[in-house]
Amino acid sequence: MKNKGAFLDITNDEKAKKNGTRAKIFLKNGTYKGDWNNDLKHGKGVFEWKSGAIYSGDWAWDHRHGHGVYTELCPNTCQMIQYNGQWCCDRREGDGAQFYPDGESYEGEWRRDRRHGWGRMFYKDGSLYEGGWSLGVREGRGLLRKADGNMYEGTWHRDNKHGPGLYEHTRTGQMQEGIWVDGVVRCSALEDKNRLFALNATPYPIPPLQLLEPVAVLRDAAAQFVPLIPERYRVIPETASDSSSESVASLYSN
C-alpha cells in the first residue's frame, strides 16, 4: 500500500503540471499567457511585468529563447524602448533591432545583450555608423556618415577612430588620409577632391607638395603612432587613391 500511495502522489503531481496553452498570474512579477510544457513556459507566449514591460515571442524551458519583441517605457521620459529580434536564455543574441527612447536605433548583431558583430546605428543628431562592434562599442572596420555630410571610413578601437582611415570633408571638397589614435588624427595628408562642386570650398586650392622626400617625412611623423595601433587594424582602406595609398602603406614598412 505504501508503494501504491507513492505512485499515486507522483501521478497527481504530473497531472498538476501545466501543459498546453494556459495563463498564470505571478504575485511578484506579472502575468504569463501562452504555451507550457511540464510547468515551464515553452513555445509561444506573452509575459507582462507589473512595471508595464511586455515580452511577446518564443520561449524555451522557462526562458526567452528564439524570436521575440520586448517593449517597455522609460520611467524618466515615458518614451518607448523596444527590441525586436533573436533571444538566447533571456538575453539578446543574434540579429535584432533596438529602438531607444531618445530616437536612436540600432539594427544588426548582438551577443549577450550587447551590440556585437556587424551593425548599423542611427544617432539622434542624424549621423549613421555602419560597421563592426564589440561588446557594445564600435570596433574594427566602419563607416561614419555625419549629419553635416562629412564621412570617415577606417578602423575603430574602443569606440574611437583608431588606425588608418579616410576622412572626406564634403563641404570643402577635400579628402584626408592618415592615422588616428584615440579619436585624434596624428598624421595625415590632405588633398582637394571635387573642389569645384563643394558647397563651401576653401578660397585657394591646396598647393603642390614641394618636399624632396614626402614619404620619408610622413614615415618619421607616424613612427611614434603606428605602434599604438593593433596590428590587425593596420589595413589600408580600399577606397584610397593609388598615390596616397602608397604613401600610407610606406608608413608600415621598415
Side-chain angles (χ1 to χ4, degrees):
M1 295 297 295
K2 184 177 180 180
N3 292 335
K4 182 177 180 181
F7 176 76
L8 290 175
D9 289 341
I10 295 175
T11 303
N12 291 334
D13 289 341
E14 290 297 326
K15 289 182 178 179
K17 290 183 178 180
K18 291 180 287 296
N19 286 282
T21 302
R22 294 189 182 185
K24 180 178 179 179
I25 298 176
F26 296 85
L27 296 179
K28 294 183 178 180
N29 296 329
T31 303
Y32 173 78
K33 297 179 181 179
D35 298 331
W36 296 80
N37 189 344
N38 288 331
D39 228 22
L40 298 175
K41 297 183 286 291
H42 190 84
K44 300 287 186 180
V46 178
F47 194 102
E48 183 174 355
W49 284 264
K50 290 186 176 181
S51 63
I54 299 175
Y55 172 82
S56 176
D58 296 328
W59 296 80
W61 309 118
D62 230 25
H63 296 284
R64 289 167 288 179
H65 194 92
H67 182 270
V69 179
Y70 176 82
T71 307
E72 68 174 327
L73 292 178
C74 180
N76 297 328
T77 63
C78 293
Q79 299 201 4
M80 185 181 68
I81 305 172
Q82 186 180 80
Y83 171 79
N84 186 338
Q86 296 297 314
W87 295 78
C88 180
C89 297
D90 289 328
R91 291 181 175 181
R92 290 167 290 183
E93 184 94 12
D95 293 328
Q98 174 93 26
F99 302 92
Y100 300 91
D102 57 3
E104 295 185 343
S105 63
Y106 169 84
E107 57 183 35
E109 296 177 302
W110 296 78
R111 180 181 294 178
R112 297 181 179 179
D113 265 344
R114 295 184 180 183
R115 298 185 289 269
H116 190 91
W118 179 93
R120 183 185 295 118
M121 183 80 180
F122 297 88
Y123 296 94
K124 59 183 178 181
D125 65 355
S127 300
L128 166 65
Y129 171 81
E130 184 173 1
W133 295 81
S134 179
L135 300 177
V137 298
R138 293 169 290 190
E139 183 80 19
R141 296 284 300 172
L143 170 65
L144 175 65
R145 298 178 183 270
K146 302 186 69 175
D148 59 8
N150 293 340
M151 292 188 297
Y152 169 81
E153 182 178 7
T155 55
W156 298 76
H157 186 52
R158 297 177 180 175
D159 217 33
N160 288 316
K161 305 179 189 71
H162 195 87
L166 294 169
Y167 194 100
E168 182 177 351
H169 302 267
T170 306
R171 297 186 64 84
T172 60
Q174 295 174 327
M175 180 72 75
Q176 185 176 12
E177 181 178 1
I179 296 174
W180 277 255
V181 176
D182 293 330
V184 179
V185 61
R186 297 298 186 178
C187 178
S188 67
L190 189 66
E191 61 178 322
D192 287 318
K193 288 283 188 179
N194 300 322
R195 186 173 181 277
L196 296 178
F197 304 98
L199 297 176
N200 189 22
T202 56
Y204 304 100
I206 298 174
L209 191 63
Q210 298 298 327
L211 295 174
L212 295 178
E213 298 183 2
V215 173
V217 173
L218 288 173
R219 183 188 297 116
D220 292 341
Q224 58 181 315
F225 304 115
V226 172
L228 302 178
I229 302 170
E231 187 172 352
R232 64 185 182 276
Y233 295 148
R234 300 178 189 181
V235 180
I236 308 304
E238 297 179 356
T239 56
S241 61
D242 294 339
S243 59
S244 58
S245 296
E246 293 175 359
S247 299
V248 175
S250 67
L251 301 180
Y252 302 107
S253 62
N254 296 326

